[in-house]
Amino acid sequence: MAAKYTTKAEEALVEAQHIAIRHNHNELHPEHVLLAAIQQQDGIVPSIISASGVDSHVITSTLESVLKRFPTVTGAGSDGKVYPSGAFNKLIVLAEDEAKKLKDEFLSTEHFLLSYLANKNNKDTEIYKAFFRAGLSYDKIQNVLEKVRGGARVQDENPEAKMNALEKYGRDLTLMASKGKLDPVIGRDEEIRRVMQILSRRTKNN
């Protein structure tokens, strides 16, 4: 049975083809897919990389550099079409395996990322080494993904709407305070003591 894709996964695959066309490539490779996923607005892959404390530009610049060295087809030999490479097909098959491991019902963009890093044939590639240098190993991404997801599973076409809801619709005041981004509270000693007293009660905190 064919795998079901999330909306973001479908968008990433379409954008991967556009990237290939813009580079005059007639074959679709994992590198095209990874670049599309990492640059995807509101996608889960950028969230994973950000949560890992890594600047995504480190990876995207390497991907762009590698893509520029791929063979190009222009002129009469180019029909404007992009055909899946063997490596791309392998990426999709392994991505389906990753989805099954995570008990996900839909194939999502994070599965593409895990798939690439899970493929032992990629360990000598420039892209894999760039991920490794950035500290983005397969295990690290799995751990970060679990935190980003908050225990949720991909059970429909738009799982991103359910992930990181607090980060999307709220503000982490503790994090802002630790970074000195909150204005200091001056002349509110009595109010602060009262709040601490209320929050310290074992019952009737309202």
Side-chain angles (χ1 to χ4, degrees):
M1 187 175 71
K4 297 180 291 184
Y5 292 81
T6 65
T7 300
K8 288 293 186 183
E10 291 179 347
E11 290 175 355
L13 291 177
V14 171
E15 176 58 21
Q17 294 180 58
H18 292 167
I19 292 172
I21 291 171
R22 286 196 291 270
H23 284 78
N24 293 318
H25 300 155
N26 68 346
E27 277 195 327
L28 191 61
H29 289 271
E31 290 78 4
H32 297 115
V33 179
L34 289 178
L35 182 59
I38 291 173
Q39 293 181 329
Q40 191 171 57
Q41 187 173 4
D42 297 327
I44 191 69
V45 171
S47 296
I48 292 172
I49 294 177
S50 177
S52 301
V54 175
D55 183 358
S56 62
H57 180 70
V58 174
I59 307 298
T60 56
S61 60
T62 304
L63 281 164
E64 287 283 7
S65 176
V66 169
L67 289 175
K68 287 178 181 178
R69 298 197 295 270
F70 276 21
T72 59
V73 178
T74 57
S78 174
D79 58 4
K81 295 181 180 179
V82 180
Y83 303 91
S85 66
F88 170 81
N89 290 332
K90 181 74 171 179
L91 180 81
I92 298 301
V93 171
L94 292 180
E96 292 176 1
D97 292 341
E98 293 300 323
K100 291 176 183 176
K101 288 179 187 177
L102 294 169
K103 299 180 181 179
D104 293 331
E105 297 179 15
F106 284 74
L107 200 64
S108 187
T109 52
E110 65 267 34
H111 301 133
F112 298 144
L113 180 57
L114 289 169
S115 168
Y116 186 85
L117 295 175
N119 189 348
K120 295 180 180 179
N121 293 333
N122 293 329
K123 287 192 173 182
D124 292 328
T125 65
E126 192 172 339
I127 304 303
Y128 189 98
K129 291 176 181 177
F131 275 108
F132 184 80
R133 287 194 300 269
L136 294 172
S137 65
Y138 176 89
D139 292 337
K140 174 66 176 294
I141 288 175
Q142 273 195 322
N143 292 334
V144 174
L145 175 60
E146 187 63 29
K147 294 178 181 178
V148 170
R149 283 187 173 191
R153 295 287 176 261
V154 181
Q155 298 177 320
D156 56 46
E157 295 178 351
N158 189 26
E160 290 80 10
K162 302 176 183 65
M163 297 177 189
N164 284 335
L166 285 176
E167 288 80 356
K168 187 178 294 184
Y169 301 110
R171 292 188 300 162
D172 189 337
L173 296 180
T174 302
L175 179 62
M176 291 174 66
S178 68
K179 293 183 177 180
K181 292 184 178 180
L182 286 182
D183 293 333
V185 180
I186 301 173
R188 298 282 182 174
D189 293 346
E190 182 58 35
E191 287 86 349
I192 292 173
R193 278 195 294 269
R194 184 61 177 151
V195 169
M196 291 177 65
Q197 183 186 46
I198 293 171
L199 293 177
S200 298
R201 288 175 179 169
R202 294 182 61 187
T203 58
K204 297 182 180 180
N205 288 329
N206 60 325

